[in-house]
Amino acid sequence: MTLPDTAAIPAGDDRTFQVDLRGLVDLLSHHLYSSPRVYLRELLQNAVDALTARHSLEPGASTDAFGIRLYADGSVVRVEDDGVGLTEADVHTFLATIGRSSKRAERIAEQRADFIGQFGIGLLSCFLVADEIHVLSRSARTPDAPTVEWRGRGDGSYTVRTLPASARPRPGTTVTLTPRADAGEWTRPVQVQALARHFGSLLRHPVTFADGTGGTPAPVNPEPAPWTATYPTPGARSRALAAYGEEVLGFKPLDTIELDLPAVGLKGVACVLPETVPAGRRHGHRVHVKGMLLSEQAEEILPEWAFFVRCVVDAESLRPTASRESLYEDDTLAAVRDALAERLREWIARAAASDPDLLARFLQAHHLAVKSLAVHDDEILRMLLPWLPFETTDGHATLDEFARTHRTVLVTSSVEEFRQVAAIASAAGLGVVNGGYTYDRELVHRLPEIRPEASVADLDPATLTAHLDPVDRETELAAAAYLAQARDALAVFDCDVALRAFQPASAPALLVDSREARHERTRSQLAREQEGGVWGDILGALRQEAPRAQLILNQLNPLVRTAVTITEPELARTSAEALYGQAAMLSRRPLRPAESSLINRSFLDLLAHALRKDS
């Protein structure tokens, strides 16, 4: 196919995109933010940025010289600040332009480290609760500057006019909203005050709230962040941080970890949860940027393994996303995450070295979190592996205790394998650790790195059966006929039957069967069923000698001693099936449909036999 010569095609006329401003405003104001309540945060944020610019203009002024005043009486919501204010040109640039750059905007962007807001669209959030935004502003940059009035409407239209300076006696900005009827939930006086405290409790400028009843305006942020205060003793500081964590996060911390990263201006506290957290469940953290609450669910501030703490931090240099409800993933955030992870490691190391009681309480609640960390952190592994609890044949014990008792530590590959052998292995004097839980098998195998005298090996079924006592030849010959009937009955399960003597005598039988062996037998069966087809050829190429399960009958058990004397073939088969079913259930692994059917059938057959005998 010959492509046309594009040079010969006449160029079309350049055209401009037609933007539905009403739709754009609706998109940004209703879909950028998670909840209407953020409108107050955005108003506070704009006010704080205006105050920051005012202090840059008048660096000698104290922080308390300028402030923010909130007012809500049910009919209006008003936010007034003593910030730098806006000229008429500023109003057109910053309040009435969406997505357009300007020389001054670019200069301000270069200095944005001093400001919370960066995107110039926060005011649109007000359309979540109101149809019109009224702004009165007077610039502090120009003496005797006039007051500028801007009215923006949700349909994308706006008006600007200049008023006498007396319309706003001093520099700053006042934003007034007349709430819609459906926005009462977010604009009632009590709710406005609660939202102001929620978002602005750590702001560095004074913020007050008045509800129109004539009372004295109430301070929104009367107390500074606890980590900025001084205390008479380290203990008093620790108690103050714990009390703050309990108030803000809603639980009494097991301990607190003070966080301080001067390079990014981050301060705060990590509170250790007092209870176990489900694996993989991550808690959100409260992140403030320059005092303004950014998010209560910021998971990205800490690595995944640190789900045993919740943090409250205030940072200078972290970058918010466009909605300012989460953190932007960049190199700075990655460096902060790594640095905070190191602080948590240091706390664990201090607890291990100097506070064994705290360490014990911490590990009791959060051993899984520490195990996940120890897998990848050699320092934590060396410090804490001997003290981590594991499920063993001696009960729940630390590896340090267990290795002192058992020269060779055996570890299973699954929980069901451990459940199959635990009682028998314990009676035989074998030390077995349940390696079926997340991280456990890998960690147990690393024990010799910490305790060179310890020996660790995977549990082999042959190792266990080697510790079971053989029965004498006469007893085995007497049981030969029964064993043959039992093998024939259980051949459908690829299960062999043997007679041994082992403790505890209360256990009639032990089923030795691994998950891998069952998978191999299933694959072999599929290959036989599909023999001759392409799938059968593939399975046949993978086929190995299928390992057999083994039902080991306990000669020390009175029931087994009676069973091996049965001479009636059908009863012998039924009793063998019942012993197999009981051993399978004790292994606590999922039963196959054929096994469930066998258990039901053998029970009913034995019941029928007993009833016939009684009659």
Side-chain angles (χ1 to χ4, degrees), residues 50-66 84 114 140-141 205:
L51 290 173
T52 302
R54 180 76 181 269
H55 280 287
S56 297
L57 188 65
E58 304 176 31
S62 68
T63 304
D64 295 336
F66 309 122
V84 71
D114 294 331
R141 300 180 186 278
H205 304 283

Side-chain angles (χ1 to χ4, degrees), residues 39 74-77 129-132 177-184 187-188:
Y39 83 94
S75 59
V76 298
V77 175
V129 298
D131 291 324
E132 183 176 279
L177 308 178
T178 301
R180 292 193 305 270
D182 62 354
T187 56
R188 292 194 302 269

Side-chain angles (χ1 to χ4, degrees), residues 69-198:
R69 293 167 294 282
L70 306 180
Y71 176 88
D73 62 4
S75 59
V76 298
V77 175
R78 186 164 60 241
V79 179
E80 181 179 359
D81 67 69
D82 300 318
V84 71
L86 300 171
T87 64
E88 184 175 356
D90 293 335
V91 166
H92 286 287
T93 299
F94 297 115
L95 300 188
T97 303
I98 300 174
R100 181 183 297 171
S101 178
S102 69
K103 292 295 183 182
R104 185 175 175 197
E106 291 171 359
R107 288 196 301 271
I108 289 178
E110 293 173 359
Q111 305 169 357
R112 67 187 179 197
D114 294 331
F115 300 90
I116 302 172
Q118 300 175 23
F119 298 88
I121 57 176
L123 200 62
L124 293 176
S125 65
C126 294
F127 289 122
L128 294 169
V129 298
D131 291 324
E132 183 176 279
I133 305 171
H134 179 230
V135 177
L136 282 178
S137 189
R138 181 179 173 188
S139 176
R141 300 180 186 278
T142 306
D144 299 324
T147 299
V148 181
E149 180 189 58
W150 179 86
R151 289 182 183 272
R153 289 170 285 276
D155 62 3
S157 63
Y158 71 93
T159 58
V160 179
R161 63 174 179 161
T162 301
L163 304 176
S166 59
R168 198 181 194 286
R170 54 184 179 178
T173 300
T174 301
V175 180
T176 303
L177 308 178
T178 301
R180 292 193 305 270
D182 62 354
E185 177 184 357
W186 307 107
T187 56
R188 292 194 302 269
V190 65
Q191 181 70 294
V192 172
Q193 184 176 20
L195 290 176
R197 288 175 175 169
H198 178 74

Side-chain angles (χ1 to χ4, degrees), residues 91 152 188 199 289 361 381 423 599 608:
V91 166
R188 292 194 302 269
F199 289 117
V289 175
R361 287 185 285 123
L381 179 78
I599 292 171

Side-chain angles (χ1 to χ4, degrees), residues 478-541:
Y482 178 85
L483 295 177
Q485 292 282 356
R487 292 186 185 107
D488 184 62
L490 301 179
V492 66
F493 299 114
D494 288 317
C495 182
D496 196 8
V497 183
L499 185 63
R500 297 286 188 273
F502 54 86
Q503 294 293 338
S506 58
L510 168 66
L511 181 61
V512 179
D513 192 17
S514 67
R515 182 182 302 174
E516 292 76 13
R518 292 198 302 277
H519 287 175
E520 181 58 36
R521 292 197 300 272
T522 301
R523 186 166 57 194
S524 298
Q525 181 180 356
L526 284 174
R528 290 193 298 269
E529 294 173 354
Q530 299 287 338
E531 190 170 355
V534 175
W535 183 240
D537 293 341
I538 294 173
L539 292 174

Side-chain angles (χ1 to χ4, degrees), residues 11 22 57 102 143 231 262 274 281 294 353 409 416 493 500 505 569 571 585 595 611:
R22 182 194 294 270
L57 188 65
S102 69
Y231 301 90
R281 177 181 171 186
L294 181 78
V409 176
E416 68 182 61
F493 299 114
R500 297 286 188 273
L571 182 58
M585 287 191 295
E595 291 172 329
L611 292 174

